[in-house]
Amino acid sequence: MSNKPIYVELAIDASLDELWKYTQSPELHEQWDLRFSEIRYLPKANESDNQKFVYRTRIGFGLRIEGTGESAVIMKNNRKDRLSTLAFASDQRLSLIRQGGGFWKYEQRQPGQPVTFSTLYDYRTRFGPAGRLFDRWLFRPLFGFATAWSFDRLRLWLEERVPPSVTAERALIHYCSVMLLLLLWCFEGIVPKLLFPESGEMALLGGTGWFAGAEREAVRLLGLGEVAFGVAAAILHRKRWAHLAQLAALLLLTIPALAFNSGIMAEPFNPLTLLLPMAGLCMAAYWTARQLPDARRCRRRPAANPRKARRRSNEIDL
């Protein structure tokens, strides 16, 4: 059974010429597309020849994938719609992709309306059945996600003038903050409250006098609540109010402990040493939650006639 081709579609509020420039110029294309670290056009013998190029993708640990490609341009409807076909291949044994093809399509129904920018591509893999399984369950979903995420990063660049380097830094800070907050909420809920409540949590709760005789059960419920709260906040990380809610919850958990047991401030690790870094992470996640690329904005299935689209993507070979 063959894997489905990758399809991504997004409406971008930009002129057709501007979108064309940012997707067809190698020095601009490589800035927003996660799939490529470097794209270099090769000289043409004749102006009418297809454009050949080489590409490189860094995959970490000093390794990179290299390959070659060839693109052609088709103008339609008096230049209102455009189609850029693509073929690519890699002879590098490390590359899962052996060769493939696809297209970029630009459609603008009326002047001044957003341009519908879409791509469909497919490829053949190396390493036999193992390569196909790896591609089906891991590589292809990630590759499709990277394509959609990159499309929305391009949209932010053209619509809101946020450079790709800024969105990359913002996304890194945001997701690191969200993950650290999730880990801290889960640690605080599981380790000192569910696993080792006698280590001090029961004494802190007992000092308030609110749960006389039921401190253990209250600590367990509080631990479960912190884990659930951390997971919910991570799921809602794009909602800026979710990070303000975390900040409010931290204050509600910390102030009673300090009010009823002020002597705890003399200890090297006290509620304040946890509150301050978590509050900082909340604010970092809050500030970076705006203008984040979101792959979910993209359509991932062709609107009609997917068999024809699949056939077109496979017609292009090097």
Side-chain angles (χ1 to χ4, degrees):
M1 181 178 179
S2 60
N3 295 329
K4 293 181 179 180
I6 294 172
Y7 180 82
V8 177
E9 176 187 311
L10 182 63
I12 298 178
D13 191 6
S15 70
L16 184 58
D17 289 336
E18 185 179 33
L19 180 58
W20 182 264
K21 173 185 175 182
Y22 278 66
T23 54
Q24 296 292 328
S25 301
E27 65 276 8
L28 296 174
H29 179 191
E30 64 189 25
Q31 291 186 54
W32 59 264
D33 200 333
L34 281 179
R35 298 168 298 172
F36 304 101
S37 303
E38 181 184 348
I39 304 170
R40 181 167 56 87
Y41 279 179
L42 300 177
K44 290 183 179 181
N46 299 297
E47 189 62 31
S48 60
D49 291 346
N50 292 342
Q51 179 64 65
K52 295 183 179 181
F53 61 89
V54 295
Y55 66 87
R56 296 182 179 88
T57 302
R58 290 188 294 270
I59 59 176
F61 307 103
L63 300 175
R64 64 184 184 182
I65 301 297
E66 299 182 355
T68 59
E70 183 175 330
S71 63
V73 176
I74 301 173
M75 300 288 186
K76 302 189 298 180
N77 299 336
N78 296 322
R79 302 176 68 89
K80 292 181 180 179
D81 292 348
R82 304 178 189 179
L83 185 72
S84 175
T85 61
L86 173 71
F88 52 91
S90 176
D91 294 331
Q92 196 172 356
R93 293 293 300 171
L94 185 62
S95 173
L96 176 68
I97 296 176
R98 184 189 300 274
Q99 65 179 137
F103 60 79
W104 281 358
K105 192 174 184 180
Y106 309 72
E107 297 177 287
Q108 188 175 38
R109 297 307 178 196
Q110 296 293 334
Q113 289 186 350
V115 180
T116 300
F117 180 43
S118 61
T119 183
L120 186 142
Y121 61 95
D122 204 354
Y123 51 83
R124 303 185 189 99
T125 59
R126 288 186 169 85
F127 314 121
R132 289 192 294 272
L133 283 175
F134 179 77
D135 176 59
R136 183 180 186 85
W137 296 110
L138 183 61
F139 184 82
R140 189 171 292 247
L142 288 176
F143 215 47
F145 174 84
T147 304
W149 196 89
S150 298
F151 269 38
D152 199 47
R153 183 157 72 149
L154 173 63
R155 180 192 65 81
L156 287 170
W157 196 8
L158 294 177
E159 291 185 1
E160 303 188 36
R161 302 303 171 184
V162 182
S165 59
V166 173
T167 55
E169 291 178 359
R170 184 175 294 164
L172 180 62
I173 294 171
H174 181 81
Y175 288 109
C176 285
S177 300
V178 169
M179 291 306 300
L180 285 172
L181 283 167
L182 174 61
L183 291 174
L184 288 170
W185 279 115
C186 290
F187 177 86
E188 284 298 307
I190 294 172
V191 177
K193 294 179 177 64
L194 296 181
L195 297 181
F196 307 104
E198 296 86 357
S199 62
E201 293 292 331
M202 288 181 59
L204 281 173
L205 202 60
T208 65
W210 294 344
F211 305 97
E215 288 85 357
R216 182 178 294 274
E217 290 74 14
V219 167
R220 287 176 177 171
L221 287 175
L222 184 59
L224 290 173
E226 287 184 350
V227 172
F229 186 80
V231 172
I235 293 173
L236 298 171
H237 69 93
R238 289 183 177 274
K239 308 294 185 181
R240 301 185 78 190
W241 59 260
H243 307 299
L244 297 179
Q246 289 186 82
L247 189 58
L250 287 168
L251 293 173
L252 289 174
L253 290 170
T254 304
I255 290 174
L258 297 177
F260 288 97
N261 188 1
S262 58
I264 197 173
M265 288 294 294
E267 298 182 6
F269 297 102
N270 57 69
L272 195 60
T273 62
L274 181 65
L275 168 66
L276 293 178
M278 288 189 72
L281 290 171
C282 286
M283 295 312 298
Y286 172 83
W287 283 320
T288 56
R290 59 187 179 87
Q291 296 175 324
L292 278 179
D294 189 353
R296 294 174 300 177
R297 287 194 179 96
C298 298
R299 185 171 188 162
R300 299 300 305 276
R301 294 178 184 275
N305 209 356
R307 291 185 178 180
K308 182 179 180 180
R310 172 193 283 270
R311 187 166 60 251
R312 290 187 69 182
S313 71
N314 289 333
E315 286 174 354
I316 309 165
D317 291 304
L318 289 175

